[in-house]
Amino acid sequence: MALTKSVEWLKRSQQVLAGGVSSDVRRAELPHPLFFQSGKGSRIVDVDGNEYIDYVLGQGPLLLGHSPRPVVEAVHEQLEKGLVYAAQHEAETELAELLVQAIPCAEKVRFNSTGSEAVVSALRVARARHNRKLVVKFEGQWHGWYDSLFVSTAPTLDQAGAYDHPNPVMPSRGQVQNAAENLLVMPWNDLDVMEKLFRQRGIEIAAVLTEPMMCNAGSIAPLPGFLEGLRKLCSEHGAALIFDEVITGFRLGLGGAQEAFGVTPDMATYAKGIASGFTLSAVVGKAEWMDLISEGKVVHAGTYNSNPVVIAAGLATVRYLKENQDTVYPQLYRLGELLREGLRQRFVKAGIPALLGGQGPVVQASLTDAATLRNYRDWVRRDVATYSKLVTRLVDAGVRTITRGTWYLSSAHTEEDVAITLREVEAILSRGL
Ligand SMILES: Cc1ncc(COP(=O)(O)O)c(C=O)c1O
């Protein structure tokens, strides 16, 4: 597959865009950052005219596929009526009402633009309630790139420190070490370690922040009892349990992971999946927490918050999901299972040790001979080099996937898409990586 124009554009952009990209995550694209011109449904087309079945889906937001009709129409209509009011409008209340109906912990809502902002908003509320500083985050989890949270997202095992007391590792130069001084990094899926921590420091802990499924590191599911145990510890010690549902929200079900796993946090954050690619995020939570904002004790702001364009996209997306939940979610789960099982069989046939995980439309392939994955340190030992070769060859075969092994499905994907994909994977593996 020719990538000539992409290569030319990359050279040109490197003259003016730092590194040729606008987010460092995009540097990881294989064989190199590509340039795209359009997307429709499950397909995306690059500037050389190559079409791909897209499992990247904008790194998650395109839960309904590229440019879904109801969202495009709602946004078109709004574009004629105004872009930013810096004031309230009806649709933002309607969308908040839908979130309150759909999400178990949601009694009150505030909107932001990005996932990073929504998480920071939740933490400010959590710290304010009992005037505590410490926040627990888990090793390998990604909650945005702001200084105080961009910690231990992908440490090497050399940097990581003791298992039960990991070092806070800053991924970027320019982050001051004390940005993490109120953060405790812990291993995921280990309730004993968390119980010990709460026995020692429970009175200081404002919040436990967690992705309910570790989508950014192996899509590792919570062990039975882990989320329930966190719920109990937080309740006993007056800490907020915050689920970062930026990826799982609306994807694992209309009520997100908290509905799927049956554990209700105090607050939760949403972004990818809520507005089909428009920059909308939300922090939601129980009134006893969110009312710190209602009462003006905690400040939450943002010029672009709930502008009518992104809200139109959010309203159209969530309405569509609500009205079609009986067909959309079973279909997403069915396709997820087809892809997961199909990939598993093909790795077995090729004699490549692999674990297939994730849930529903989040499919995860990790090349490893481990029997099971429990936390980041298990996952980081996978065979990245071989998997990268597969991702690169898939590009050549018209299939675009995420280098860390995650495959997102949308409501626009079809059985035919999955069948073509599996055929290509099989052909590549049979030639050897
Ligand atoms: C779980 C999770 N939380 C927060 C974020 C940050 O969202 P954003 O990139 O919109 O700031 C991400 C982004 O990938 C994420 O995956």
Side-chain angles (χ1 to χ4, degrees):
M1 210 175 249
L3 300 175
T4 326
K5 287 190 184 160
S6 263
V7 171
E8 283 164 12
W9 273 103
L10 184 59
K11 281 192 194 133
R12 185 167 157 186
S13 73
Q14 280 164 343
Q15 304 301 312
V16 284
L17 281 170
V21 296
S22 294
S23 164
D24 274 311
V25 175
R26 295 176 201 163
R27 287 181 197 253
E29 175 134 33
L30 292 167
H32 49 73
L34 298 179
F35 283 68
F36 293 94
Q37 54 171 320
S38 65
K40 189 76 205 141
S42 62
R43 308 296 174 113
I44 189 167
V45 178
D46 72 14
V47 290
D48 285 283
N50 305 308
E51 186 179 276
Y52 306 84
I53 303 174
D54 190 13
Y55 295 96
V56 178
L57 295 181
Q59 292 286 348
L62 304 176
L63 185 54
L64 306 183
H66 289 270
S67 293
R69 218 54 244 156
V71 178
V72 169
E73 280 167 13
V75 169
H76 265 280
E77 200 175 307
Q78 182 56 47
L79 288 175
E80 298 297 337
K81 296 201 284 190
L83 306 183
V84 184
Y85 305 143
Q88 282 51 253
H89 52 101
E90 292 155 348
E92 87 182 320
T93 305
E94 289 175 326
L95 180 55
E97 285 168 353
L98 282 185
L99 300 194
V100 167
Q101 285 160 20
I103 300 167
C105 81
E107 292 173 1
K108 294 275 172 72
V109 176
R110 276 282 178 113
F111 293 110
N112 278 117
S113 300
T114 65
S116 301
E117 281 180 288
V119 176
V120 168
S121 306
L123 292 190
R124 187 179 285 179
V125 170
R127 286 185 163 123
R129 174 119 191 251
H130 302 298
N131 203 18
R132 298 177 184 176
K133 287 187 195 156
L134 288 183
V135 168
V136 175
K137 82 152 302 250
F138 295 95
E139 195 171 55
Q141 297 206 0
W142 176 290
H143 301 290
W145 67 290
Y146 289 178
D147 272 12
S148 59
L149 279 170
F150 189 37
V151 178
S152 295
T153 49
T156 62
L157 290 175
D158 287 349
Q159 301 170 310
Y163 162 77
D164 57 354
H165 187 62
N167 295 331
V169 178
M170 302 294 207
S172 173
R173 286 181 63 179
Q175 284 181 278
V176 284
Q177 200 63 30
N178 67 7
E181 79 187 7
N182 295 315
L183 208 59
L184 291 171
V185 179
M186 299 300 286
W188 206 56
N189 254 339
D190 191 332
L191 206 49
D192 290 344
V193 174
M194 289 301 293
E195 281 169 354
K196 190 167 161 214
L197 173 72
F198 266 92
R199 275 198 302 277
Q200 290 168 347
R201 306 193 70 176
I203 192 72
E204 298 171 74
I205 296 173
V208 173
L209 170 66
T210 186
E211 275 193 275
M213 179 166 84
M214 243 171 103
C215 297
N216 282 293
S219 304
I220 302 170
L223 288 174
F226 180 65
L227 296 178
E228 291 82 350
L230 293 183
R231 176 63 283 175
K232 188 159 174 279
L233 284 172
C234 287
S235 299
E236 283 169 1
H237 293 267
L241 178 62
I242 304 171
F243 281 179
D244 182 346
E245 296 232 41
V246 162
I247 294 179
T248 52
F250 298 100
R251 199 179 311 271
L252 298 194
L254 192 64
Q258 53 192 277
E259 182 185 62
F261 297 136
V263 176
T264 305
D266 296 297
M267 286 181 278
T269 53
Y270 294 81
K272 302 179 182 187
I274 196 175
S276 297
F278 284 83
T279 48
L280 175 67
S281 65
V283 53
V284 310
K286 294 181 184 163
E288 60 190 292
W289 295 90
M290 293 296 287
D291 278 346
L292 279 113
I293 298 179
S294 319
E295 292 158 11
K297 293 177 181 153
V298 166
V299 176
H300 170 267
T303 304
Y304 299 104
N305 290 0
S306 79
N307 73 71
V309 178
V310 300
I311 292 288
L315 197 52
T317 304
V318 177
R319 268 191 189 144
Y320 181 87
L321 288 170
K322 187 178 174 199
E323 283 163 13
N324 297 284
Q325 57 181 313
D326 294 341
T327 48
V328 167
Y329 290 105
Q331 164 80 350
L332 285 172
Y333 272 69
R334 208 168 52 79
L335 286 189
E337 218 29 61
L338 271 182
L339 182 60
R340 194 175 288 111
E341 209 29 58
L343 289 172
R344 191 196 319 273
Q345 286 168 9
R346 277 143 188 93
F347 285 122
V348 168
K349 194 170 165 196
I352 297 175
L355 280 179
L356 273 297
Q359 180 159 322
V362 183
V363 174
Q364 178 75 37
S366 305
L367 301 193
T368 172
D369 52 15
T372 175
L373 298 178
R374 179 188 165 107
N375 57 35
Y376 169 75
R377 293 193 189 193
D378 292 342
W379 182 68
V380 81
R381 296 170 211 269
R382 73 199 183 283
D383 180 353
V384 175
T386 305
Y387 194 77
S388 298
K389 284 189 206 157
L390 174 63
V391 172
T392 307
R393 302 219 180 133
L394 279 170
V395 168
D396 227 22
V399 177
R400 182 172 180 243
T401 67
I402 298 175
T403 49
R404 70 169 191 274
T406 309
W407 302 58
Y408 290 121
L409 286 150
S410 74
S411 62
H413 281 81
T414 61
E415 262 182 48
E416 176 67 3
D417 288 331
V418 173
I420 295 170
T421 303
L422 292 174
R423 259 202 316 273
E424 296 297 346
V425 169
E426 183 156 353
I428 292 166
L429 294 183
S430 71
R431 289 196 294 271
L433 287 173

